[in-house]
């Protein structure tokens, strides 16, 4: 579950964030003081729940909620305020909840237990990089039309969200071999079609002539290890995407990092 907390007062934001962490320790929490930063984040990342202060200097919480719902219609808005006169506005916006300050973990737990829109706590696409590379959708192996499609996806995961050019991807997949432009187009189409059929097209970001994975949209042991999260902390055992020779560079970096811990 991805949660954002917004309050332009630093101390109030810390208190709100601490209450959320205590109430939902497994959630991915992002705290913001400025509305424009939240909106930029919402353009790129799905938000399940937004805790918004109402009275802020530049943009009110009500105005921010209106803009957030334009980006993400099923976002759960929970107002966190010291004032009760905004309840009608919250009702008009179909807000999920309305908390009166001081905010406590218990108040947050109650609101999270009664959200207006359902939250999928587990990301649908799971990626295993330690050992052999594998991709799962809701716990089941993903079947691509071509085996090279899986390798293409593996390379995008390895690049951790960096946008990769066609030339870069082809040099990795085919090494010194030339003349695979048509085959690469088929691999790209297979990757995008497979994810779209699973309603997971947001896993891949596209720009003209470039592809990249969206790290926030997948569950990945490699990313968890780098961030010190969950099972990723202890999952690495010296093997990383073992079926692909180009992965040796990243595995070397992982070995060096593991030796320091």
């Amino acid at each position: 579950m991805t949660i954002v907390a917004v309050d332009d007062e630093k101390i109030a934001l810390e208190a709100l964030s601490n209450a959320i962490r205590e109430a939902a320790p497994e959630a991915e929490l992002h705290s913001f003081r400025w509305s424009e930063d939240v909106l930029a984040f919402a353009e790129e990342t799905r938000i399940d729940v937004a805790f918004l202060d109402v009275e802020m200097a530049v943009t009110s919480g009500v105005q921010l909620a209106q803009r957030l719902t334009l980006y993400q219609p099923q976002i759960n808005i929970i107002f966190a305020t010291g004032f009760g006169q905004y309840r009608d506005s919250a009702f008009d916006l179909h807000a999920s909840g309305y908390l009166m300050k001081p905010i406590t973990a218990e108040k947050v737990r109650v609101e999270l237990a009664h959200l207006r829109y359902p939250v999928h706590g587990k990301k649908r696409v799971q990626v295993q990089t330690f050992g052999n590379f594998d991709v799962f959708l809701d716990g089941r192996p993903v079947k691509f039309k071509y085996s090279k499609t899986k390798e293409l996806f593996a390379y995008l995961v390895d690049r951790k969200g960096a946008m990769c050019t066609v030339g870069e991807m082809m040099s990795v997949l085919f090494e010194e071999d030339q003349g695979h432009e048509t085959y690469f187009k088929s691999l790209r189409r297979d990757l995008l079609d497979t994810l779209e059929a699973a309603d997971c097209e947001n896993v891949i970001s596209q720009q003209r002539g470039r592809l990249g994975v969206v790290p926030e949209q997948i569950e990945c042991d490699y990313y968890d290890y780098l961030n010190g999260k969950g099972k990723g902390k202890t999952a690495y055992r010296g093997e990383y995407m073992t079926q692909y020779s180009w992965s040796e560079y990243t595995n070397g970096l992982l070995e060096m990092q593991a030796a320091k811990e």
Side-chain angles (χ1 to χ4, degrees):
M1 175 166 55
T2 301
I3 300 175
V4 299
V6 187
D7 197 311
D8 62 348
E9 294 185 6
K10 184 178 180 180
I11 294 177
L13 179 59
E14 290 177 354
L16 174 60
S17 300
N18 288 338
I20 295 170
R21 289 192 188 95
E22 183 178 344
E26 298 301 319
E28 183 178 319
L29 175 63
H30 301 267
S31 302
F32 300 94
R33 292 184 63 193
W34 313 117
S35 299
E36 293 307 316
D37 293 337
V38 185
L39 293 170
F41 181 78
E43 287 184 347
E44 302 293 335
T45 307
R46 171 176 171 160
I47 301 171
D48 296 305
V49 186
F51 287 83
L52 310 178
D53 181 35
V54 177
E55 292 200 343
M56 295 188 288
V58 179
T59 303
S60 74
V62 174
Q63 293 171 322
L64 178 57
Q66 291 170 335
R67 296 178 67 182
L68 283 172
T69 53
L70 290 177
Y71 291 131
Q72 304 190 29
Q74 291 198 328
I75 187 173
N76 289 285
I77 301 292
I78 299 175
F79 290 110
T81 179
F83 305 91
Q85 65 264 36
Y86 299 103
R87 290 184 183 274
D88 288 343
S89 297
F91 179 81
D92 292 340
L93 283 168
H94 304 288
S96 180
Y98 195 97
L99 291 177
M100 293 293 293
K101 294 180 179 179
I103 307 301
T104 65
E106 184 54 35
K107 290 180 180 179
V108 172
R109 287 191 193 98
V110 171
E111 295 303 325
L112 292 178
H114 298 87
L115 295 174
R116 176 179 292 274
Y117 301 109
V119 172
H120 301 289
K122 192 176 183 67
K123 294 172 183 175
R124 296 194 63 209
V125 177
Q126 299 95 42
V127 173
Q128 172 189 300
T129 66
F130 296 152
N132 280 335
F133 177 81
D134 274 305
V135 187
F136 304 90
L137 175 65
D138 297 331
R140 297 183 179 181
V142 174
K143 295 182 179 179
F144 296 106
K145 184 176 181 180
Y146 307 102
S147 61
K148 277 286 185 183
T149 305
K150 185 176 178 180
E151 184 176 359
L152 170 60
F153 189 38
Y155 182 69
L156 297 179
V157 170
D158 179 77
R159 297 290 289 133
K160 306 192 300 290
M163 299 303 293
C164 304
T165 65
V166 170
E168 175 187 349
M169 290 181 283
M170 288 185 62
S171 67
V172 169
L173 294 176
F174 307 116
E175 298 181 349
E176 301 301 324
D177 292 344
Q178 303 295 319
H180 292 285
E181 289 81 2
T182 300
Y183 185 28
F184 178 80
K185 289 181 181 179
S186 297
L187 300 180
R188 178 181 179 277
R189 186 74 268 153
D190 183 29
L191 175 63
L192 298 176
D193 285 350
T194 300
L195 293 172
E196 183 177 358
D199 197 25
C200 293
E201 60 269 27
N202 59 350
V203 166
I204 296 294
S205 176
Q206 300 182 67
Q207 296 176 2
R208 185 176 180 83
R210 297 171 182 266
L211 290 178
V213 75
V214 181
E216 297 81 9
Q217 299 298 334
I218 66 174
E219 184 177 310
C220 176
D221 53 1
Y222 175 38
Y223 299 164
D224 286 347
Y225 178 80
L226 295 178
N227 295 322
K229 293 170 55 179
K231 296 180 180 178
K233 296 178 182 178
T234 57
Y236 179 65
R237 292 290 185 272
E239 294 185 328
Y240 172 81
M241 296 192 187
T242 53
Q243 68 264 58
Y244 307 128
S245 59
W246 50 259
S247 70
E248 292 176 1
Y249 176 77
T250 300
N251 192 47
L253 296 177
L254 287 168
E255 287 180 338
M256 287 190 290
Q257 181 170 332
K260 296 178 182 178
E261 295 177 350

